[in-house]
Amino acid sequence: MSASSFCVSPRKSPYQRLSRRMRDISGDRGVLKDVIREGAGELVTPDASVLVKYSGYLEHMDKPFDSNCFRKTPRLMKLGEDITLWGMELGLLSMRRGELARFLFKPAYAYGTLGCPPLIPPNTTVLFEIELLDFLDSAESDKFCALSAEQQDQFPLQKVLKVAATEREFGNYLFRQSRFYDAKVRYKRALLLLHRRSAPPEEQHLVEAAKLLVLLNLSFTYLKLERPATALRYGEQALIIDRKNAKALFRCGQVCWRAGTGEQMPKKR
């Protein structure tokens, strides 16, 4: 029997076996991806802020060395600023809302040749499971809000409505985190854009509908900030747009009750 008969091919590690059925998204097999659950809609944009759940694993270990899944409300993280792993940023740019995926990051896309002692050994490939809950792209909004009113007027109404909606979405996220002051700032930015934009009569209803959503949010936010008089003012402005709006009526009633004024709810206009 020849010596070659005694040669045994080396067993592949779990990550090596997994990598064989994963898609290369970096072009050099430094970041590999396996979709567990498909998402929907557009891909994450390069300047987006993402809301994700993630867990990072070392090979041959069942418990994650890093995870944010224990948090009730994950923190909104901006690409290029809050995401420290290059592999994770590339991975997120390949994802859509609702997607759940598994990634392998080679050392160059993760913790490098030095690792991150004592948790991550040198030259370590890591696995991350990432769920993209949502993402918001503020780059377009930030650039637009930095323009003068005259410059903003050069853009079509749909652009203004889109930017205002983005500001409101950021406000909603901050509100859910109980960051009411920061949410108020975002809502006011949206309202300012809508207030100073004139629209032809046939499109004015679009502006009013967008204003109504922001005014209702501002009223509730000022309630949380314990400023009932301001909350009532925004609630009344919402009623001017829609005098039968149930949320606006309820919000004004809340304000009067909390303030203990005994006042009647604002009359329908």
Side-chain angles (χ1 to χ4, degrees), residues 80-243:
E81 295 181 12
D82 302 314
I83 306 292
T84 57
L85 294 186
W86 187 17
M88 183 179 288
E89 184 152 338
L90 289 178
L92 285 165
L93 289 172
S94 74
M95 299 184 73
R96 306 175 192 275
R97 288 184 179 89
E99 183 177 331
L100 175 63
R102 183 184 295 119
F103 296 91
L104 281 177
F105 303 148
K106 294 290 181 64
Y109 291 88
Y111 299 95
T113 57
L114 299 179
C116 187
L119 287 176
I120 314 297
N123 287 311
T124 297
T125 295
V126 294
L127 181 145
F128 269 79
E129 286 189 358
I130 302 175
E131 181 181 9
L132 178 63
L133 304 175
D134 200 0
F135 73 89
L136 299 169
D137 186 357
S138 64
E140 181 181 17
S141 175
D142 292 339
K143 290 177 183 177
F144 187 83
C145 291
L147 299 174
S148 66
E150 292 76 16
Q151 290 172 315
Q152 291 177 2
D153 286 340
Q154 304 303 312
F155 289 86
L157 177 61
Q158 290 302 322
K159 172 78 168 184
V160 178
L161 294 174
K162 181 181 179 183
V163 171
T166 298
E167 289 297 311
R168 183 171 62 84
E169 288 171 4
F170 265 96
N172 291 345
Y173 173 78
L174 294 165
F175 186 95
R176 289 193 295 269
Q177 285 197 318
S178 298
R179 293 167 57 184
F180 303 122
Y181 181 86
D182 295 330
K184 178 254 300 182
V185 171
R186 288 288 186 171
Y187 291 144
K188 282 194 166 185
R189 280 178 65 171
L191 191 61
L192 178 62
L193 288 172
L194 296 168
H195 271 324
R196 70 187 189 190
R197 179 56 186 259
S198 59
E202 64 271 16
E203 293 185 322
Q204 186 60 34
H205 70 284
L206 298 174
V207 177
E208 296 300 298
K211 282 183 184 178
L212 180 61
L213 294 174
V214 178
L215 289 168
L216 291 171
N217 289 347
L218 275 168
S219 182
F220 197 18
T221 301
Y222 274 103
L223 264 181
K224 292 292 188 179
L225 290 170
E226 299 183 355
R227 294 175 59 182
T230 306
L232 181 60
R233 186 171 75 247
Y234 284 115
E236 289 176 329
Q237 290 180 33
L239 286 173
I240 292 174
I241 296 174
D242 181 2
R243 64 180 184 174

